[in-house]
Amino acid sequence: MNRKKRRASIPLILGMLAMLLLLSGCWSRKEIEELGITIGTGVDIVEKSEDEQTFEQKGGNFSKQDMLTLTYQVIRPGQSSGVSGGAERKYSNLSVTGDSLYELTRELALISGRTIYGQHYKVIVISDKVARQISMHHLFNFFIREQGFRPSCLVLISKGEARKTFDSKDKSEFPSMKLLSLTENRYRSSRILPPVSLATMLPEINTASSFLLQNVITVDNEVKLAGASVIYGKTGKLIGFINEEELETVNWLTAQIKGGIVKSYDQETGEPLVYEITKIKNRIRPHLEGNRVSFDIEIESDGRLGEYWGKGNDFDNPFIRHVEKETVKEVERRIERLLHKAQKEYRADILGLNEYVKIHYPRKWEKMKLDWDDRFAEAAIRYSVNVTVKEFGTTSI
């Protein structure tokens, strides 16, 4: 190679060396077995575990005010499939106690060799005691700021200790995954609240709006979705609950139903009558007269006769009209009870009617939003329900 060619190749070599410096490669990689893949988190009022108490007795303590217990559910290495390979649990639950959630996540680095990895978060479960004492604005300040938490992470309220929802009798399943799968059964039951994630809850917190969070209860390591918690806008704290039937009524009023049933009792025979929902829609119109607000809510539903213990001919129009009438009576009875509870007991807009005022009267809304829940409590809410039976099942007997 002559001198000219050598000189011409020098810039090329330097360019290649520069590219090598810019290529990061896998210098910062971590093997999956080294990561603590976390799928769920629970927050409770302080109750130290036996291990924590022992650590503190031996000097493993730091400056803190014991107030909260944070529980992480971590997948054990090689168990992400969820298929049972033996009698051993496929997850571990790690609990730490203190007064700063952010600090507690770093405390885990002192007891676990695997770094907490949160890109697979499924649920955050808050105990009802925590929700009553700490504002959602303060509590979720950490979860929203922390980059490890996914915005799509589901938020639930536990009636009782949150960490108990992360244990299961079935060793082949992950409790966090089960909680998520239960909320996906809305096509089968209208007693499930539309999922509330970190992303959907953030606007409610920032605007000091009242809203609902799905409840979960635990009995002997078995979980069940059971009604919802009322989060009051002005304080951001839990002020009470609505039961399963009342939650179902909320879904009727907001038309947030993918499937489910309404059971009533025939007033003539006393026999059970079950209407299955196949379609539902609503129309909500707000009205302003001076400083007073009112609403007209129209609900329409198509469905099928799922079960009837009395005597009747499915193909007889008077009988079908009777079924529709009984179903409407039951839904209207439930609506009346729910509105009384929301407006008179809790004085909280758990129906999200503020959104309709905001859309139709944006200028006036700016003056009303600061005391909206009080205005909602005094609002006249008129409603009408129309039910149409279009199917009778596969056969008639």
Side-chain angles (χ1 to χ4, degrees), residues 83-239:
V83 178
S84 178
E88 189 178 1
R89 290 192 312 178
K90 309 305 178 184
Y91 60 89
S92 59
N93 294 332
L94 305 176
S95 295
V96 284
T97 301
D99 55 4
S100 165
L101 296 179
Y102 197 81
E103 184 178 37
L104 290 179
T105 62
R106 300 304 186 260
E107 176 71 5
L108 284 172
L110 303 179
I111 61 176
S112 175
R114 292 187 292 138
T115 304
I116 292 297
Y117 182 74
Q119 295 304 310
H120 294 278
Y121 266 109
K122 304 303 179 185
V123 293
I124 298 173
V125 183
I126 309 297
S127 79
D128 58 334
K129 288 184 179 180
V130 171
R132 284 188 184 276
Q133 297 182 31
I134 303 176
S135 166
M136 292 289 152
H137 179 78
H138 295 150
L139 187 62
F140 283 91
N141 182 276
F142 159 69
F143 291 109
I144 292 169
R145 289 176 183 269
E146 176 57 49
Q147 296 179 355
F149 286 89
R150 300 177 65 183
S152 60
C153 185
L154 188 68
V155 181
L156 302 172
I157 297 290
S158 168
K159 296 183 74 173
E161 289 185 68
R163 60 182 176 183
K164 286 186 177 181
T165 65
F166 294 122
D167 281 317
S168 175
K169 289 181 178 179
D170 188 349
K171 298 182 184 299
S172 68
E173 67 180 3
F174 297 102
S176 293
M177 300 288 196
K178 181 177 180 179
L179 289 173
L180 180 64
S181 64
L182 288 177
T183 64
E184 295 172 348
N185 287 337
R186 291 175 58 222
Y187 70 98
R188 298 290 291 174
S189 174
S190 54
R191 298 187 176 187
I192 302 175
L193 192 70
V196 178
S197 65
L198 277 175
T200 57
M201 190 175 66
L202 181 58
E204 308 291 351
I205 295 175
N206 288 338
T207 58
S209 300
S210 297
F211 61 97
L212 295 174
L213 286 175
Q214 180 75 55
N215 285 343
V216 57
I217 57 177
T218 307
V219 177
D220 195 20
N221 289 347
E222 292 290 346
V223 296
K224 179 189 177 183
L225 301 182
S229 294
V230 179
I231 308 300
Y232 188 53
K234 288 183 179 180
T235 63
K237 298 179 181 180
L238 187 154
I239 60 170

Side-chain angles (χ1 to χ4, degrees), residues 192-341:
I192 302 175
L193 192 70
V196 178
S197 65
L198 277 175
T200 57
M201 190 175 66
L202 181 58
E204 308 291 351
I205 295 175
N206 288 338
T207 58
S209 300
S210 297
F211 61 97
L212 295 174
L213 286 175
Q214 180 75 55
N215 285 343
V216 57
I217 57 177
T218 307
V219 177
D220 195 20
N221 289 347
E222 292 290 346
V223 296
K224 179 189 177 183
L225 301 182
S229 294
V230 179
I231 308 300
Y232 188 53
K234 288 183 179 180
T235 63
K237 298 179 181 180
L238 187 154
I239 60 170
F241 305 102
I242 61 173
N243 61 33
E244 294 179 48
E245 188 176 280
E246 291 163 342
L247 175 54
E248 184 175 48
T249 307
V250 169
N251 289 336
W252 267 86
L253 286 165
T254 58
Q256 295 291 323
I257 292 177
K258 291 186 176 181
I261 64 171
V262 175
K263 183 184 70 174
S264 60
Y265 293 92
D266 193 321
Q267 292 186 4
E268 295 180 3
T269 65
E271 299 291 352
L273 188 159
V274 179
Y275 168 81
E276 183 177 9
I277 308 160
T278 58
K279 181 181 179 181
I280 190 170
K281 62 180 180 179
N282 70 351
R283 183 183 180 186
I284 300 178
R285 292 174 293 175
H287 306 284
L288 282 180
E289 296 179 7
N291 292 324
R292 294 189 63 84
V293 62
S294 62
F295 296 90
D296 287 309
I297 303 178
E298 299 174 4
I299 304 170
E300 294 184 6
S301 173
D302 295 341
R304 60 188 292 269
L305 178 59
E307 184 179 13
Y308 182 59
W309 287 18
K311 295 181 179 179
N313 185 348
D314 290 357
F315 304 101
D316 181 39
N317 283 332
F319 171 70
I320 297 303
R321 300 291 84 80
H322 175 70
V323 170
E324 294 170 345
K325 182 180 178 181
E326 292 297 318
T327 302
V328 167
K329 284 182 179 179
E330 177 64 18
V331 174
E332 289 181 338
R333 180 189 67 82
R334 296 184 184 186
I335 290 176
E336 192 66 28
R337 291 179 59 183
L338 174 75
L339 290 178
H340 181 271
K341 193 167 192 175

